[in-house]
Amino acid sequence: MIKNILFSLSMLFIASCSSYNSIDTFYNAHKNDNHVTAVRVPNFMLSLISNISPEMNSLIGNTRDLRYMQFPSKTAKKTTFLNKQMNSITGNSFIEVYRKNENLKRNIVSIREKKNTVKEILIYNNNNEKGSFLYFNGNFDPVKVREMAKNNQFENLGNNLINQINYSTPRIKQEQQ
């Protein structure tokens, strides 16, 4: 009986620790912070966003979950904290495709693969003024993802995403009336 309780408690502890290092936990922990922009794109908007560029179209067609978050990172302490949190998320099960470190500034593209398919893409940027991440979950061509990372095509994707959502939202409201 005691062994079962101890086993259950240890499994609960392990599960809670591993879930802390997930994009869901990071998103939920920071979405209500001051000066944060957090976007979780509903499925009906994925088709609208696919019109940003041909690259986005090739990604969006296979996307099940798309999130973007931009947050302030104006102090070295805050930047270090955010960089450590992202490192803990990507450190265990993601493969870094691209990384550029300049002092505390970061530009990282990480993926999670299953067999010959990329299942998750996480793009993290932090320039000591603001940080951001762009997260895709779906089924993606690894060659295309690596090509986009190599050509720095992920760098401005977050800003383009926000601009497209801001552009599309009034149009959606008008169409619903």
Side-chain angles (χ1 to χ4, degrees), residues 78-90:
K78 182 72 170 183
T79 301
T80 300
F81 172 73
L82 292 167
N83 287 348
K84 284 182 180 180
Q85 281 194 318
M86 275 298 155
N87 283 339
S88 69
I89 291 170
T90 62

Side-chain angles (χ1 to χ4, degrees), residues 62-126:
N62 298 311
T63 300
R64 289 188 303 270
D65 187 9
L66 177 59
R67 301 179 208 193
Y68 175 77
M69 182 178 280
Q70 187 177 73
F71 33 84
S73 184
K74 295 183 184 231
T75 65
K77 184 178 179 180
K78 182 72 170 183
T79 301
T80 300
F81 172 73
L82 292 167
N83 287 348
K84 284 182 180 180
Q85 281 194 318
M86 275 298 155
N87 283 339
S88 69
I89 291 170
T90 62
N92 294 331
S93 58
F94 279 80
I95 299 166
E96 280 188 16
V97 178
Y98 176 82
R99 174 182 278 268
K100 182 178 179 182
N101 296 339
E102 187 179 311
N103 297 318
L104 289 177
K105 294 179 182 178
R106 298 288 184 270
N107 185 339
I108 303 168
V109 178
S110 298
I111 62 171
R112 187 177 288 165
E113 293 179 311
K114 185 174 182 180
K115 297 186 181 183
N116 294 330
T117 304
V118 173
K119 293 294 193 178
E120 295 174 81
I121 304 167
L122 178 61
I123 300 102
Y124 172 68
N125 292 297
N126 196 322

Side-chain angles (χ1 to χ4, degrees), residues 45-54 56-57 60 164 171:
M45 286 189 70
L46 289 174
S47 62
L48 296 172
I49 295 168
S50 67
N51 294 325
I52 292 173
S53 69
M56 279 297 286
N57 190 27
I60 296 300
Q164 184 66 23
R171 202 169 65 192

